[in-house]
Amino acid sequence: MEDSLEKNWSVKEVLELFGLPFSDLIYRAQCVHRAHFDPNMIQLSTLISIKTGGCPEDCGYCSQSARHPTAVENRPMLSKEEVVAAAKLAMENGATRFCMGAAWRGPKQRDLDAVSDMVRAVKALGLETCATLGLLKEGQAEQLKEAGLDYYNHNIDTSASHYDEIISTRDYGDRLDTLEKVRHAGMHVCCGAIVGMGESREERAELISELANQSPQPESVPINHLVQIEGTPLYGAERLDPLEFVRTIAAARITMPKSFVRLSAGRNEMSESTQALCFLAGANAIFYGEKLLTTGNLEVGRDRALLDKLGMHAMP
Ligand code: SAM
Ligand code: DTB
Ligand code: SF4
């Protein structure tokens, strides 16, 4: 089979993957997955929102934008002690990475100092660390790396062509610029997208090609299904067919063979069968823990039961 690692994926080629008969697509995804990973192993990351709500940005999907009338309120930043206590619990439950999210356009210097302290403390527990704090300015990625940050999450969210329908307060190029800073500082990149935001299949193929054509490819690729939040502009958007979601996962796996493809937001509204199909299509990471940032996720016990049922084991 062709080694797709250094391959440049055109939108047309990705669209052809989407158009394969379902069984052929899953078979290809499985072949690629098994060439690079233990197919029964899954990586578990736990999220925490260290600063919730009151965000100045206007992302159309987000509960935390101050511009949308949602039930989420502007809360102060958590203390280091609160964050460390949550990280300990995540570790006891079996997570190997702890991801700290903040509702900012980007961190101010004072915020970054506080987050750096949290990163140091979480890292000292023996967990991998990840943060998602928005756009980074010159020098900020280096400071986070210095504090022991392993991964920085910054999503392209959607295709360049659909982007303006979703966000107006920062552009696609701003995002690429932050991703470049993360790479340059020597951190691992976690970069993915959200589907189910009214995009077409072609736009889904476009976003997969944009993720896959990053060089090097992101180590971690979260594929989120939109969690519809009352009060946001995207509330009421047409739900994606679950099998189209599975196809998106398969396309990510085939085009990014060595990346961890994370079945991310939206699992709470997904059947076990759909999740199992996502794993079959090459997803090998999930967010694990009762909460994502502001919305619910599956209970730890239910996730453990699902993994047991599928004979899957958590990455040590
Ligand atoms: N404020 C920072 C930023 O936007 O870069 C970091 C936190 S932000 C909440 C992190 C990511 O969560 C977003 O880029 C988006 O991909 C995802 N996300 C937010 N709300 C979501 C929703 N309702 N459904 C699915 N994914 C969502
Ligand atoms: C990502 O791609 N998905 C996560 C994480 N990175 C930060 C966030 C999902 C948020 C879902 C909606 C919420 O809980 O507010
Ligand atoms: Fe703010 Fe991030 Fe939500 Fe956009 S996704 S409104 S930047 S918290």
Side-chain angles (χ1 to χ4, degrees):
M1 183 176 295
E2 176 184 22
D3 187 357
S4 19
L5 272 186
E6 293 304 321
K7 178 173 162 46
N8 199 284
W9 284 91
S10 68
V11 178
K12 185 170 168 284
E13 285 168 317
V14 181
L15 206 48
E16 279 164 11
L17 293 178
F18 270 89
L20 285 172
F22 190 74
S23 295
D24 295 350
L25 176 64
I26 300 299
Y27 178 71
R28 254 188 90 171
Q30 268 285 304
C31 290
V32 173
H33 193 186
R34 283 167 187 266
H36 298 282
F37 290 101
D38 169 350
N40 301 310
M41 187 212 67
I42 188 151
Q43 192 277 328
L44 308 178
S45 289
T46 295
L47 281 166
I48 187 168
S49 179
I50 59 166
K51 164 68 191 82
T52 303
C55 184
E57 303 296 285
D58 71 350
C59 311
Y61 48 79
C62 189
S63 63
Q64 307 198 68
S65 166
R67 301 170 191 237
H68 311 323
T70 70
V72 172
E73 287 169 11
N74 188 357
R75 316 280 309 165
M77 198 185 331
L78 298 185
S79 68
K80 186 171 83 179
E81 290 67 32
E82 287 171 302
V83 173
V84 168
K88 278 187 182 149
L89 187 63
M91 200 161 92
E92 279 161 23
N93 281 332
T96 55
R97 192 177 308 155
F98 193 66
C99 179
M100 293 157 270
W104 294 322
R105 174 177 167 83
K108 299 191 181 71
Q109 190 52 45
R110 203 162 51 104
D111 300 328
L112 200 72
D113 293 341
V115 175
S116 301
D117 283 345
M118 291 174 189
V119 168
R120 257 185 285 276
V122 172
K123 181 88 178 161
L125 297 175
L127 280 164
E128 286 185 317
T129 53
C130 175
T132 180
L133 315 171
L135 300 174
L136 296 179
K137 296 195 197 66
E138 229 40 72
Q140 293 191 318
E142 280 74 13
Q143 181 175 336
L144 288 167
K145 166 78 184 165
E146 228 278 304
L149 193 66
D150 298 305
Y151 287 78
Y152 194 80
N153 166 243
H154 198 62
N155 293 336
I156 59 169
D157 276 358
T158 189
S159 67
S161 62
H162 192 57
Y163 191 88
D164 292 348
E165 304 288 315
I166 308 294
I167 305 150
S168 78
T169 49
R170 52 181 164 178
D171 64 31
Y172 199 78
D174 295 332
R175 298 207 179 235
L176 301 182
D177 184 56
T178 286
L179 290 167
E180 185 52 41
K181 289 189 167 75
V182 172
R183 266 286 167 234
H184 192 253
M187 284 184 287
H188 295 312
V189 169
C190 171
C191 181
I194 311 173
V195 295
M197 298 201 295
E199 74 286 342
S200 62
R201 175 180 272 189
E202 175 147 13
E203 285 163 337
R204 277 188 289 284
E206 194 186 325
L207 74 84
I208 293 291
S209 125
E210 285 158 355
L211 290 170
N213 292 342
Q214 292 179 30
S215 181
Q217 294 186 328
E219 282 78 11
S220 163
V221 180
I223 303 294
N224 295 276
H225 190 298
L226 173 69
V227 179
Q228 299 209 1
I229 314 270
E230 209 168 338
T232 60
L234 281 165
Y235 185 67
E238 198 182 331
R239 258 191 88 80
L240 201 61
D241 181 324
L243 293 183
E244 182 70 9
F245 185 79
V246 177
R247 284 180 183 275
T248 312
I249 296 272
R253 166 51 63 225
I254 293 166
T255 56
M256 292 172 273
K258 289 196 167 176
S259 306
F260 279 83
V261 174
R262 189 176 308 275
L263 167 55
S264 300
R267 286 200 304 122
N268 222 2
E269 291 83 39
M270 235 172 250
S271 69
E272 287 197 342
S273 318
T274 301
Q275 292 183 63
L277 280 175
C278 288
F279 299 138
L280 201 57
N284 60 349
I286 53 172
F287 285 122
Y288 174 72
E290 262 96 77
K291 216 164 168 200
L292 294 169
L293 292 173
T294 66
T295 65
N297 194 24
L298 289 181
E299 283 157 24
V300 160
R302 280 186 60 194
D303 268 343
R304 287 220 190 95
L306 176 62
L307 296 183
D308 269 359
K309 212 196 283 193
L310 299 175
M312 295 177 79
H313 50 267
M315 194 170 141

